[in-house]
CSV table of all heavy atoms in Angstrom, one decimal:
chain,number,residue,atom,x,y,z
A,21,ALA,N,-57.9,-74.0,70.7
A,21,ALA,CA,-58.1,-72.7,69.9
A,21,ALA,C,-56.9,-71.9,70.0
A,21,ALA,O,-56.4,-71.2,68.9
A,21,ALA,CB,-59.3,-72.0,70.5
A,52,ILE,N,-53.7,-69.8,79.1
A,52,ILE,CA,-53.1,-68.9,78.0
A,52,ILE,C,-51.5,-68.9,78.2
A,52,ILE,O,-50.7,-69.1,77.2
A,52,ILE,CB,-53.5,-67.4,78.1
A,52,ILE,CG1,-54.9,-67.4,77.8
A,52,ILE,CG2,-52.6,-66.5,77.3
A,52,ILE,CD1,-55.6,-66.0,78.3
A,77,SER,N,-72.9,-74.0,91.2
A,77,SER,CA,-71.7,-74.3,90.7
A,77,SER,C,-71.7,-75.9,90.6
A,77,SER,O,-72.3,-76.6,91.4
A,77,SER,CB,-70.6,-74.0,91.6
A,77,SER,OG,-69.4,-74.4,91.2
A,124,THR,N,-69.5,-70.1,72.9
A,124,THR,CA,-69.7,-70.3,74.3
A,124,THR,C,-69.6,-71.8,74.8
A,124,THR,O,-70.2,-72.7,74.1
A,124,THR,CB,-71.2,-69.8,74.6
A,124,THR,OG1,-72.2,-70.7,74.0
A,124,THR,CG2,-71.5,-68.3,74.1
A,211,CYS,N,-46.0,-85.8,71.0
A,211,CYS,CA,-46.2,-84.3,71.1
A,211,CYS,C,-45.1,-83.6,70.6
A,211,CYS,O,-43.9,-84.1,70.7
A,211,CYS,CB,-46.8,-84.0,72.5
A,211,CYS,SG,-45.6,-83.8,73.7
A,223,LYS,N,-52.8,-84.9,80.3
A,223,LYS,CA,-52.8,-86.2,81.0
A,223,LYS,C,-53.3,-86.2,82.4
A,223,LYS,O,-54.2,-87.0,82.7
A,223,LYS,CB,-51.3,-86.7,80.9
A,223,LYS,CG,-51.2,-88.1,81.4
A,223,LYS,CD,-49.7,-88.6,81.3
A,223,LYS,CE,-49.7,-89.9,81.8
A,223,LYS,NZ,-48.3,-90.4,82.2
Side-chain angles (χ1 to χ4, degrees):
I52 293 164
S77 173
T124 70
C211 81
K223 186 176 177 197

